[in-house]
Amino acid sequence: EHHLFPYAPRKNLRKIKLLVKDFCSKKNIPYKEDTLVEAWKGIFIYLNDLGKYAKELNIIKTVEDMV
């Protein structure tokens, strides 16, 4: 919800969450919730995959190449 409403006060995010979940339900849009650990895990997996892809394209160098 903080991505949909970035300037909403944090104290209102729980109320906004209920509105968003209700909207998604009415429109038959999947609503996914992650725990904090799941969210961080997803971020690290994505960044790792992105780094591997960039390395394959020779966009970035490894630490060994920089020394």
Side-chain angles (χ1 to χ4, degrees), residues 1-8 16 20 23-24 31:
E1 290 74 25
H2 66 278
H3 292 280
L4 293 172
F5 305 100
Y7 298 108
I16 292 170
V20 172
F23 175 83
C24 289
Y31 182 88

Side-chain angles (χ1 to χ4, degrees):
E1 290 74 25
H2 66 278
H3 292 280
L4 293 172
F5 305 100
Y7 298 108
R10 286 188 72 74
K11 67 178 185 170
N12 294 337
L13 288 178
R14 284 196 176 137
K15 294 176 188 175
I16 292 170
K17 177 181 177 177
L18 296 175
L19 294 172
V20 172
K21 283 179 81 169
D22 185 50
F23 175 83
C24 289
S25 177
K26 288 178 181 176
K27 300 292 183 180
N28 200 24
I29 299 171
Y31 182 88
K32 185 176 185 292
E33 288 184 85
D34 287 333
T35 65
L36 182 62
V37 172
E38 291 169 336
W40 277 104
K41 181 181 174 185
I43 291 167
F44 284 118
I45 289 171
Y46 172 76
L47 290 174
N48 188 48
D49 291 344
L50 189 63
K52 288 178 185 176
Y53 182 67
K55 185 178 175 186
E56 288 174 15
L57 296 176
N58 290 320
I59 295 172
I60 61 169
K61 296 182 178 185
T62 62
V63 173
E64 294 84 20
D65 295 336
M66 289 189 246
V67 178

